[in-house]
Amino acid sequence: MKILALETSGACCSAALLIADRLKQRHEHAPRRHADLILGMLDDLLREAGLRLSELDAIAYGRGPGSFTGVRIAAAVAQGVAFGANRPVIAVSTLAATARAAYRRTGQRRIACALDARMGEVYWGCFRVDGPNALTLIDQEGVLAPESTPALAGTSWCAAGNGWEAYPTLQERHRSALEATPEPIPGRLTEIGPEAEDIAWLARAMSDQGKRPDQALPVYLRNRVAEVSQKQTERL
Amino acid sequence: MRVLGIETSCDETGVALYDGGPDGAGLLAHAVYSQVELHAEYGGVVPELASRDHIRKLLPLIEQVLDEAGLSAAEIEGIAYTAGPGLVGALLVGAALGRSLAWAWGVPALAVHHMEGHLLAPLLEDPAPAFPFVALLVSGGHTQLVDVQAIGRYRILGESVDDAAGEAFDKTAKILGLPYPGGPALARLAEQGDPTRYRFPRPMTDRPGLDFSFSGLKTFALNAWRQVQAEREDLEQARADIARAFEEAVVDTLLIKCRRAVEAAGAERLIMAGGVSANRRLRARMDEQMDARGVAVFYPRAALCTDNGAMIALAGHERLVAGQHEALSFGARPRWALEALSTLDGDPAS
């Protein structure tokens, strides 16, 4: 199976090519430069592998949540590439990708992901890891104030994502569930975010969920945006 | 050369297929999806909602236009997309999808300046204007007079120092209680208005120069409207009378400035483009005025006055045929000066 994956929802821009069990990735910390870099990364990976787009099984993308503009870039590029190459798309959660990245680094099997959503909220998703590419979402993803995040059941939870760093109240709220975590919190896990590598592996496990290119849409989670923006446009 | 054009700079998703050149078939298909209803309840374009809608509508429109033209992907030789000026998030949707699709198809891509699209839109019609000409670009976002010597050889002769003409139409309509976007409704209402009841000023026509100012007109409209409300007059007729006075003032002002611009440039041709150029009174009076002076007036059909993919496909086509194309990246330029564009030879701004 051959999957080309891209991820542009946060401060990093990354692309990955997964062929059977071999993965190559391009990854750069590049805030606001995703549009400059992403197509070059994809092109680079294909050239290096001597592969054409038409030989791929699917295009995978980080569908969000994350920066609105970032997830739209990922979705729009996925649409363009997939439609142009007549390949299906696979939408992968950036929270699940973050959880997989955390599992990769720590081997922990309970991952609580919080990505900074600004405006006093986090994008929240908790996962149980049953295998390297078998993650189960517990409850549902949401955009929540730290104090509204549901209590974590049990202990030994691993905290992943920059939301844990942005909101100290989040750590306080879940302290008892996190206490048995071997990694110090706050620690390097707060720097973990979604990467194309994890998008690609997770997409392979979802290969029966390929969709038409025009179904490659962002998942924002935060859908109450108009009331906020309305004031900005109301001038006479 | 068959070029796919993509426009997403504001609140319309536009896609078109244009086959240019001497043997080209011209405009093969075009489709526009307007977001007007989406933004209506907010009384103005909400940028984030615009971006969210573009990404839902753009690819289905591309598929629709390919279908209508009866073309397969392999027959498309280039892609042009609007890169600016406009709303950055909205622009990025079209740029990202357009540039990525061109990469996947292995065809060149071109980032088009939205206003260059508008000012070349009359070239989609027959007869098409020859260069050079003076262009009046009037829309909700712009009011500009441009001296056009050739593609990429542009000089701004004058522009609005405050509200664009279309913006003034919409804001005045709002004052008069018309639903968003009220510009076209205001023009319809003006048909029933008495042109002799009010006389609004013709801003900045009492001094030399080609700049415009339309923001004061809405204050005039507001004062007149408050007065009739206070005096409990026949509000329906008064509304129409104010609309008429407003429209007359805008049209007169545009006429006066166009006359000056044509004289200053020694032009034999004038083109009008942008949403406001579809205004019937403006067209009729501009034709009349310019005809008397021996100046030929050109404008695109009404559907191509407002934002559309056809004008972007045409503008992109001209540059693609000249060998211009983008690197393997994309971007949005929310502020982008028309005069910064290169000529077809790639020479820097005139």
Side-chain angles (χ1 to χ4, degrees):
Chain A
M1 174 147 259
K2 303 181 191 71
I3 291 174
L4 185 64
L6 62 130
E7 198 339 271
T8 61
S9 73
C12 294
C13 178
S14 59
L17 178 59
L18 180 61
I19 303 174
D21 287 325
R22 285 179 299 119
L23 183 131
K24 295 276 188 177
Q25 176 166 256
R26 296 287 184 277
H27 183 269
E28 200 169 318
H29 180 78
R32 291 179 299 280
R33 288 179 52 226
H34 305 98
D36 287 338
L37 298 173
I38 188 63
L39 287 174
M41 288 179 168
L42 297 175
D43 192 59
D44 216 26
L45 288 166
L46 286 179
R47 278 175 194 277
E48 192 180 85
L51 209 62
R52 292 156 177 268
L53 277 172
S54 57
E55 297 173 84
L56 295 169
D57 292 289
I59 311 295
Y61 70 104
R63 51 77 158 156
S67 133
F68 295 165
T69 297
V71 297
R72 264 195 300 273
I73 286 176
V77 171
Q79 285 189 15
V81 173
F83 180 69
N86 198 18
R87 302 284 86 194
V89 287
I90 300 174
V92 178
S93 158
T94 50
L95 286 164
T98 303
R100 189 182 183 280
Y103 170 74
R104 229 174 351 105
R105 310 268 171 91
T106 67
Q108 290 283 105
R109 290 181 177 272
R110 288 173 166 189
I111 317 282
C113 295
L115 300 174
D116 186 1
R118 309 291 174 91
M119 301 171 73
E121 293 183 314
V122 291
Y123 297 121
W124 178 256
C126 298
F127 297 84
R128 190 183 69 233
V129 183
D130 301 315
N133 301 312
L135 275 67
T136 305
L137 173 67
I138 297 166
D139 197 14
Q140 58 185 10
E141 296 182 351
V143 57
L144 298 164
E147 55 275 18
S148 306
T149 51
L152 296 169
T155 55
S156 304
W157 282 89
C158 169
N162 59 5
W164 291 96
E165 197 166 47
Y167 301 101
T169 50
L170 195 58
Q171 286 173 44
E172 284 160 30
R173 179 171 172 78
H174 300 289
R175 188 178 301 279
S176 61
L178 299 176
E179 255 166 17
T181 304
E183 294 292 329
I185 301 291
R188 59 178 214 252
L189 287 192
T190 60
E191 285 162 27
I192 284 186
E195 290 179 36
E197 166 178 357
D198 301 295
I199 303 286
W201 285 109
L202 290 172
R204 194 174 73 165
M206 301 163 66
S207 58
D208 58 335
Q209 295 174 44
K211 294 186 282 193
R212 286 161 39 100
D214 61 11
Q215 297 305 303
L217 294 171
V219 171
Y220 304 102
L221 294 185
R222 179 178 284 145
N223 291 317
R224 291 181 50 202
V225 290
E227 292 91 330
V228 178
S229 312
Q230 184 187 2
K231 293 193 186 81
Q232 297 162 3
T233 58
E234 255 189 16
R235 56 200 157 77
L236 191 76
Chain B
M1 187 180 200
R2 282 178 294 270
V3 175
L4 177 73
I6 294 171
E7 155 64 33
T8 62
S9 68
C10 190
D11 60 346
E12 330 260 12
T13 315
V15 177
L17 269 166
Y18 173 74
D19 184 12
D23 304 322
L27 186 58
L28 300 172
H30 90 106
V32 175
Y33 174 82
S34 173
Q35 303 178 354
V36 161
E37 284 176 35
L38 174 71
H39 301 290
E41 62 176 303
Y42 305 103
V45 177
V46 181
E48 176 60 21
L49 291 184
S51 305
R52 290 184 177 201
D53 212 42
H54 283 305
I55 198 161
R56 285 192 293 263
K57 300 296 178 357
L58 181 52
L59 190 49
L61 271 187
I62 291 173
E63 297 183 76
Q64 178 189 328
V65 161
L66 282 168
D67 261 8
E68 281 173 18
L71 288 181
S72 70
E75 294 172 280
I76 309 304
E77 297 160 284
I79 296 181
Y81 53 86
T82 306
L87 302 172
V88 62
L91 289 164
L92 270 173
V93 172
L97 210 163
R99 186 67 195 89
S100 304
L101 184 53
W103 175 63
W105 277 347
V107 299
L110 200 97
V112 173
H113 190 294
H114 180 77
M115 300 312 289
E116 177 168 71
H118 274 304
L119 70 81
L120 297 181
L123 299 180
L124 289 160
E125 306 298 357
D126 184 22
F131 296 102
F133 52 76
V134 165
L136 171 68
L137 302 175
V138 269
S139 68
H142 301 268
T143 305
Q144 287 181 328
L145 276 163
V146 188
D147 177 29
V148 179
Q149 288 297 317
I151 290 174
R153 220 173 271 287
Y154 307 128
R155 189 163 57 95
I156 307 283
L157 300 171
E159 58 194 329
S160 180
V161 298
D162 42 51
D163 290 354
E167 192 180 3
F169 262 93
D170 287 340
K171 287 178 175 177
T172 301
K174 190 172 180 181
I175 287 169
L176 296 179
L178 300 176
Y180 168 88
L186 185 89
R188 281 194 298 277
L189 189 61
E191 304 275 333
Q192 278 110 54
D194 173 0
T196 61
R197 173 151 177 207
Y198 295 102
R199 184 175 167 84
F200 285 12
R202 277 54 176 157
M204 295 180 78
T205 56
D206 58 350
R207 71 202 85 166
L210 296 167
D211 284 340
F212 305 90
S213 166
F214 292 113
S215 73
L217 286 177
K218 67 174 186 283
T219 313
F220 255 80
L222 181 64
N223 290 340
W225 183 235
R226 280 186 177 151
Q227 196 179 346
V228 297
Q229 282 178 311
E231 292 168 7
R232 296 170 190 279
E233 290 186 38
D234 175 356
L235 290 184
E236 282 315 302
Q237 187 57 46
R239 201 198 308 259
D241 295 342
I242 293 168
R244 182 61 181 265
F246 170 83
E247 188 186 61
E248 291 284 344
V250 173
V251 168
D252 263 0
T253 305
L254 293 172
L255 253 56
I256 292 165
K257 299 285 178 170
C258 281
R259 193 164 66 224
R260 287 184 192 171
V262 163
E263 279 168 11
E268 293 167 14
R269 286 167 291 273
L270 174 86
I271 72 108
M272 286 201 295
V276 179
S277 73
N279 181 283
R280 286 168 55 195
R281 194 175 308 278
L282 175 62
R283 283 191 173 194
R285 295 199 45 209
M286 190 69 79
D287 281 345
E288 194 185 338
Q289 166 179 283
M290 290 299 164
D291 192 44
R293 299 175 161 263
V295 174
V297 182
F298 298 84
Y299 30 68
R301 73 199 83 160
L304 301 182
C305 282
T306 46
D307 292 351
N308 65 85
M311 66 185 196
I312 302 306
L314 180 133
H317 173 272
E318 301 306 304
R319 291 182 176 276
L320 285 164
V321 164
Q324 298 182 11
H325 58 84
E326 303 303 317
L328 194 49
S329 62
F330 54 89
R333 300 172 211 177
R335 284 167 297 280
W336 185 5
L338 188 60
E339 287 167 313
L341 292 178
S342 69
T343 65
L344 289 185
D345 303 330
D347 291 338
S350 39

